[in-house]
Amino acid sequence: RDVKEGGGVHTVTDNGSLGVELDMQLMQLTLRNSHPQALNEVVAQSRDVKEIFGEVSMQACEVEKRGKRTCYRLVGRSHDIHWWHHTSGRVKDGAVLEFYRPYYPEELFPSEKAWIPSIFEPVKNAYLVFPEPLEIYLPEEPLAEDAQVAYMVGKMKADSGVTRDIFVYRDLRMVHIYRVLSHGGRFYRSLEYTTDCRYTLSHMQPAVTDRNFPWPSWERHGAGHPHGETSKTDVDVVITRDWTVAGNLSLGTETFVPHRFLLGFIPHALLQTHQFWQDEDDNLRGYPKEETQRDVILVRLKESGHVSQHGRKWSELKWDKGRRVPPVGALITSAQIQRLKQSHEKVCETVAQLEKFTEEHKLLGGAFKVSYEVCKKLSYLVACEGGGEQFGELLNQIDLKNFQGSKRTKQHRSSDIVLPFLIDKLFEAAEAAGICSKNKADPRAVDVAATVEGSSDEGSSDDAKSASSADVAAADGTLEDQEMLLLDLLHAPKNSYLGSLTSVLTRIENISHVLAWVPYTKERAERPEGIRQEDLTLVSLPRLKLSFCTREVDGDVRLYSVDHADLFITNDRNHLTTPLLAGIPHSLLLANCNGEMQLLVPAVNAIRPWISSEPFSTALVLNRTSWCDDVENPYYVYPVHVSLSFLYSTTLASALYLLLLRLLNRDYKTVVQLVDTVSCDTKLSVEEKLILGNMKLRDGHPDAYACRLKIHLVLMDSPVKLPWDVTIEMFNYINKLEYVSANCRLTHEEELLLLKRCVCDVHDKRYNMEEGHTPYKVTMNFNRRSYLRGLASGDKQCELMTLPRPKVNEWIRDWDDTLLTFDMKDMDEWLETVKLQHSQYRGRMLQLMTVFEIIEMIRENNKITIANTLFLMFYNLFQGGTTFKLYSTECGQSLATMMLTLAIKRSKSGSLEKDMFQSILLTLARQPDLAPFMEEFVDNRKYRRGEYFYGVAHPNEPMFPLGKLLRNIVYELRTLLKPEEDRGRQVVFDRMLQRRVDVETRKNMFSYGGG
């Protein structure tokens, strides 16, 4: 109530758009028929909600619930959350296939058959055939002869729509496979596999685990897996925010897009520093996560064919949905956030003036509600007339006589009708005043982005050229006033300058963290192959904290380092510099105007996986993430000596890293030469400890042991624990001394100095068997020390130690004669005590993992014996009832024979314990040719309750197959030992022979014809 004027309570007409009800008597707030309550716990704990709002409790009103979706309105935050139930991000009902043809290599068009199968078939055979084949399709229209990228889609047989997007790159000879994900009822693609992680916009780390065989040439830098589960999410929530939120610069509703749905679409470096929201035109804005950042990333979809993707005939193609040309990239620009905020504020001021204008002239029959389309047109109008100074004058020029005089209904006086009418009138007034033309307004230009783009397009190419060729300081000044275009390095044509730049920079960094910027012009956005070196303004490598810019010196345009102003990238190599780069694949050669060279090497964790088939391989895998938070310097610069014969280090960390690289490359001679550069007697930093820890390599080369001992010598006085045991290293060195190179050998004095630090006696307190110490190794060290001491003192004799020969385990020669000495009259009494647990194996084949589990079980549990658990498993392996194959070779008997050494029981004196089960198995182990003729165990129990077998009939089980088997085994084995003239022996022999014939007959019958 207006107290001063004594008026009544102000009222607002309910036009259906009012959603808040406040009951003053009950003091209760109602939002769209829902009371505020704590946000659902499942939604509040989702990672997307935590990323936006953090770990806070929030009140929300449930404003809508339909089928699989529930909508919440957050109280006091101007945000909505849409929760999609029972979705996991996996797509089963993807986009329906139209105008596509199946992929068959032999049925491709000639322009496709020339290159697609040679690149894609290895990937398909390795990943997309087993365990379930992926159905692959191509667009119906053939690719052009000069096409550089082939686009294909894939789906499983059970899926109704597309679940994979596949891109095959011709020049780069690589394949990218994206998973199609569902989020909030929309489809996104996320990169899951690549054959070359250097050329992906998403950071993907290759596997660093040990291997059996080297990498195939087509997957040397491969990463990920086409059937990976990295993109799976249990809670699918979509977060939107109103245009009134302070951080929203789009003048419309924005939808949060998590970075996992942009992998491979936007450079990973931008995903780490910016948070992306999608506006109502499907364009993306990346808002900086840190307040210190000053740029906003604008991403506009590239909806047109391009020469680098589809060949020359597509170079002028407009976006046509009927042609089914897929969008293959994005136009990414950068603008200063302060300028965008100023433009946004000016648009908001014009909206306020427009609202005041409608109130003064009573043009609306309801609430003032501005739409996104109205805001877009206002932003363009404000940009054209210079900041909104003339907006009030344009409003006053609108003729409202006809509008006010007409008898319009309440429905026709809504904001949806009145505001577009006023905008049209404003454009007519602006066009009459020569400010702008409505026809020139880009319907997809988004608010403030249109202002920057408009100013950039109007500028001449000469201005851009002169700005980009300025020095660093001038370039920094122009960046504040220009919109910058991010160049697409992934699709850079091979023979262009941009393609050359990409191939150079991928030596030190993946393109996911390489950002190349030029001032925005329409020509550069549409023709990236026309980019020249002088056009380049800035090349940023955020992860390495490096930047490069172009500078013209004596008529030559070079790419200079911003951080080291006198150094530029050079390709001046010769036969002297090539050996310096050996073993350092991630390096870049720099030079200054005097011709002095330096080598730039990123400080990444270089790992040399163990390859079983190539034990002396030098192939490296770079783990670019493991050291990111621990290294102080993201890169090292090594000056090259004027003789171009060696590198030298400026810090201890750089010296250690160079030593590590030489050790990984097995350049042992150079390692010995560099050892003195890492000499230190002070505490090492975290960075230096990391590098030193990586020198513990799986390297059994004799020179490698010598190199590690050399390193131990120079760091002996440093208070740091080395990653290897000097006792073990010294033993290996002594053991392979005759094979150590002359350049790497230790002097006698150095050996004695190290032997003082070694364990040379089993009674030494440092002796520890868990670290690999054994009496033999310790004795070898002792004898070497004694020999060197005698040699130094001139003695002709020295004291040596010998070890007693260990007792040979002759278990296979041992035999338990219980089988022969057993009195058959006691058979029934013995069978009554038999109770054995046994599990049948699926398919009657023992799996390798099951073998490992059994071995671990025998070693850890002494209660598991042959008599109560293991007899039937061993017997079936000997007899053939259970098979075990390595590749295609049956080796069940060999496995059972080896495992018996773990299972047989001995007394404390070492003699075998008497046991019938053990006696039977040892007999079969000594006579393996006899085992296949033995009776096969068949589980013919009537009820089969549980896994226990008894020697006699049981109250719950009248059948006792184990007892009958044991009775027959003992009888047959004892009978075979009788003289040949014994009639019973011949009967048993004939029975066993017939049994084996039946087994072989069944085997041949079932295997006939490959069945």
Side-chain angles (χ1 to χ4, degrees), residues 807-815 906:
K807 184 179 179 180
V808 179
N809 185 0
E810 298 182 348
W811 68 271
I812 194 64
R813 297 181 177 85
D814 290 339
W815 184 56
R906 296 180 179 271

Side-chain angles (χ1 to χ4, degrees), residues 811-812 874 878 891-903:
W811 68 271
I812 194 64
F874 283 129
F878 280 122
C891 50
Q893 289 188 350
S894 300
L895 175 67
T897 303
M898 290 187 294
M899 290 177 65
L900 266 178
T901 186
L902 300 175

Side-chain angles (χ1 to χ4, degrees), residues 641-664:
H641 192 262
V642 292
S643 64
L644 303 182
S645 57
F646 63 90
L647 305 172
Y648 56 92
S649 309
T650 56
T651 64
L652 178 60
S654 63
L656 283 169
Y657 191 70
L658 182 60
L659 189 71
L660 172 63
L661 294 177
R662 298 306 187 196
L663 198 58
L664 290 170

Side-chain angles (χ1 to χ4, degrees), residues 692-713:
L692 184 62
N694 269 31
M695 294 185 188
K696 185 182 180 181
L697 304 172
R698 186 178 178 181
D699 192 345
H701 194 283
D703 290 347
Y705 295 118
C707 290
R708 287 194 285 269
L709 291 175
K710 290 274 189 179
I711 297 172
H712 198 104
L713 273 172

Side-chain angles (χ1 to χ4, degrees), residues 77 228 304 307 583 901:
R77 292 182 180 269
S304 63
V307 61
T901 186

Side-chain angles (χ1 to χ4, degrees), residues 329-476:
L331 184 66
I332 303 177
T333 56
S334 172
Q336 293 299 310
I337 189 171
Q338 192 60 34
R339 297 181 63 243
L340 299 184
K341 285 183 177 180
Q342 292 175 359
S343 301
H344 181 270
E345 292 173 357
K346 292 175 182 178
V347 174
C348 291
E349 292 174 0
T350 59
V351 172
Q353 294 182 41
L354 187 61
E355 181 180 9
K356 183 178 180 181
F357 181 80
T358 57
E359 290 179 358
E360 291 177 353
H361 296 82
K362 299 181 180 180
L363 300 178
L364 297 177
F368 178 85
K369 185 178 180 181
V370 64
S371 67
Y372 177 62
E373 294 296 328
V374 169
C375 289
K376 280 202 304 181
K377 293 179 180 179
L378 284 176
S379 67
Y380 178 77
L381 184 63
V382 170
C384 291
E385 55 97 5
E389 288 80 1
Q390 305 177 30
F391 186 75
E393 299 177 4
L394 295 176
L395 279 175
N396 294 329
Q397 296 178 19
I398 298 177
D399 187 5
L400 298 175
K401 292 181 180 179
N402 296 333
F403 186 89
Q404 293 174 332
S406 60
K407 296 181 179 179
R408 294 178 178 268
T409 63
K410 188 176 181 180
Q411 179 181 359
H412 291 90
R413 294 175 59 196
S414 65
S415 296
D416 295 337
I417 296 177
V418 174
L419 295 186
F421 167 78
L422 294 178
I423 294 299
D424 290 340
K425 294 296 182 181
L426 284 171
F427 270 101
E428 291 178 3
E431 188 173 1
I435 297 176
C436 67
S437 174
K438 180 182 177 182
N439 296 330
K440 293 182 180 180
D442 182 5
R444 290 188 68 84
V446 185
D447 55 74
V448 293
T451 67
V452 185
E453 181 176 352
S455 62
S456 299
D457 291 341
E458 293 173 3
S460 65
S461 59
D462 294 336
D463 295 338
K465 194 181 305 180
S466 62
S468 61
S469 61
D471 57 13
V472 180
D476 289 340

